[in-house]
């Protein structure tokens, strides 16, 4: 009877151990599932935060009340429209407290020189620097949004005169040519990921947003890497919105008499 009792205690111990193993497996699976759900929720929140930051910059640019200032010779659109700035990108950091209050002393210019990207024409103040709290879009110091403006030309497949206001003739009316612009709004969360803030700053300041066109340029060279591709290689959460705009000058008839 003693041996039978010991055998029963041993069988009970084995059953308990098996149940503990099963419970442990169920717990591990539950934790992994919760972490996966949390990661999905976090990624969704990050994407929404980045999208909102880029949208804010785009909406600010579309404010009709600011177009007159933006189109002056010292404004964003007027400055980049100058002939000597063709194929260059005018870059500045969008700060929610300042909006698009453009100051040429706070902007930078990026251009391709034939073999490399040059960013020293206007200085370095236009590039968003994650190492300084002054460049973030809010007091939370979480998101950077950098804007790049480039004057573009009409595509060869577009209908004739599609870039002009109906009923206007810029030749006889002596108005300025209607201009097309490509706007790049790049929002990034530099504190998430394994990259340093210095590496993020290098992406924002040493690369162009548009693809460099050069037959002699190696596609794997530094000059051929865009801002977006650089951030992607770092594994930093970012989003880049690209929009084409036409700035058209027209006239409204105020009154008429016979």
């Amino acid at each position: 009877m003693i041996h039978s009792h010991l055998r029963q205690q041993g069988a009970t111990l084995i059953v308990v151990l098996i149940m503990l193993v099963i419970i442990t497996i169920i717990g591990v699976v539950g934790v992994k599932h919760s972490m996966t759900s949390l990661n999905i929720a976090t990624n969704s929140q990050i994407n929404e935060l980045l999208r909102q930051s880029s949208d804010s910059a785009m909406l600010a640019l579309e404010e009709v009340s600011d177009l007159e200032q933006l189109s002056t010779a010292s404004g964003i659109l007027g400055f980049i429209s100058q002939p000597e700035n063709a194929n260059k990108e005018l870059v500045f950091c969008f700060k929610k407290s300042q909006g698009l209050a453009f100051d040429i002393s706070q902007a930078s210019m990026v251009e391709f020189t034939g073999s490399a990207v040059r960013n020293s024409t206007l200085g370095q103040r236009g590039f968003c620097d994650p190492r300084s709290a002054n460049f973030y879009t809010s007091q939370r110091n979480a998101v950077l949004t950098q804007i790049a403006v480039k004057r573009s030309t009409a595509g060869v497949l577009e209908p004739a005169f599609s870039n002009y206001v109906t009923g206007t003739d810029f030749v006889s009316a002596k108005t300025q040519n209607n201009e097309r612009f490509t706007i790049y709004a790049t929002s990034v969360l530099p504190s998430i990921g394994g990259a340093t803030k210095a590496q993020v700053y290098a992406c924002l300041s040493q690369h162009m947003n548009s693809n460099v066109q050069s037959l002699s340029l190696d596609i794997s060279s530094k000059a051929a890497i865009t801002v977006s591709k650089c951030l992607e290689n770092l594994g930093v959460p970012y989003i880049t919105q690209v929009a084409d705009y036409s700035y058209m000058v027209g006239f409204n008839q105020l009154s008429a008499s016979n």
Side-chain angles (χ1 to χ4, degrees):
M1 294 296 295
I2 295 177
H3 293 291
S4 176
H5 179 67
L6 292 176
R7 285 197 297 270
Q8 289 179 359
Q9 286 184 334
T12 302
L13 180 59
I14 294 174
V15 172
V16 171
L17 290 175
I18 292 175
M19 292 182 64
L20 287 175
V21 170
I22 294 175
I23 293 173
T24 302
I25 293 175
I26 294 175
V28 171
V29 172
V31 170
K32 287 185 176 181
H33 178 73
S34 298
M35 292 181 64
T36 301
S37 300
L38 179 61
N39 288 334
I40 294 174
T42 302
N43 290 335
S44 178
Q45 292 172 352
I46 289 174
N47 290 333
E48 183 63 24
L49 180 61
L50 294 174
R51 193 178 306 277
Q52 288 178 358
S53 297
S54 293
D55 285 343
S56 297
M58 289 294 191
L59 291 174
L61 187 65
E62 295 173 2
E63 277 292 328
V64 177
S65 59
D66 294 333
L67 286 180
E68 184 176 353
Q69 186 275 331
L70 296 178
S71 59
T72 61
S74 59
I76 298 172
L77 304 183
F79 185 85
I80 198 64
S81 297
Q82 298 175 18
E84 63 269 22
N85 293 328
N87 299 318
K88 301 178 182 179
E89 294 179 3
L90 184 64
V91 180
F92 63 98
C93 196
F94 177 76
K95 307 166 189 176
K96 193 172 184 63
S97 59
Q98 298 179 3
L100 290 177
F102 180 67
D103 183 354
I104 192 63
S105 66
Q106 300 298 318
S108 297
M109 188 76 78
V110 184
E111 59 181 309
F112 180 62
T113 61
S115 58
V117 172
R118 182 168 62 190
N119 63 358
S120 58
T121 304
L122 295 179
Q124 309 292 311
R125 295 182 178 180
F127 303 116
C128 292
D129 190 346
R131 296 167 295 187
S132 173
N134 297 328
F135 291 93
Y136 288 87
T137 58
S138 68
Q139 298 298 325
R140 296 172 60 186
N141 296 338
V143 181
L144 297 170
T145 297
Q146 183 166 289
I147 306 296
V149 183
K150 182 179 181 181
R151 187 180 64 178
S152 55
T153 57
V156 295
L157 298 179
E158 294 185 1
F161 309 109
S162 61
N163 198 34
Y164 295 94
V165 179
T166 303
T168 62
D169 181 358
F170 73 92
V171 176
S172 59
K174 305 299 182 183
T175 61
Q176 69 182 58
N177 294 347
N178 298 318
E179 299 284 357
R180 291 170 54 88
F181 301 93
T182 300
I183 311 295
Y184 301 86
T186 300
S187 295
V188 58
L189 274 168
S191 60
I192 297 181
T196 65
K197 292 183 177 181
Q199 290 175 315
V200 174
Y201 177 71
C203 286
L204 296 174
S205 62
Q206 299 178 11
H207 298 271
M208 297 188 70
N209 291 271
S210 55
N211 292 316
V212 174
Q213 302 295 331
S214 176
L215 296 177
S216 61
L217 184 65
D218 185 356
I219 60 173
S220 62
S221 67
K222 179 179 177 180
I225 299 176
T226 63
V227 172
S228 296
K229 187 61 178 178
C230 182
L231 293 173
E232 179 182 339
N233 291 341
L234 289 181
V236 179
Y238 80 97
I239 186 172
T240 297
Q241 294 192 30
V242 184
D244 291 319
Y245 292 91
S246 293
Y247 179 68
M248 302 180 179
V249 178
F251 297 96
N252 291 327
Q253 185 179 28
L254 300 179
S255 62
S257 61
N258 294 325

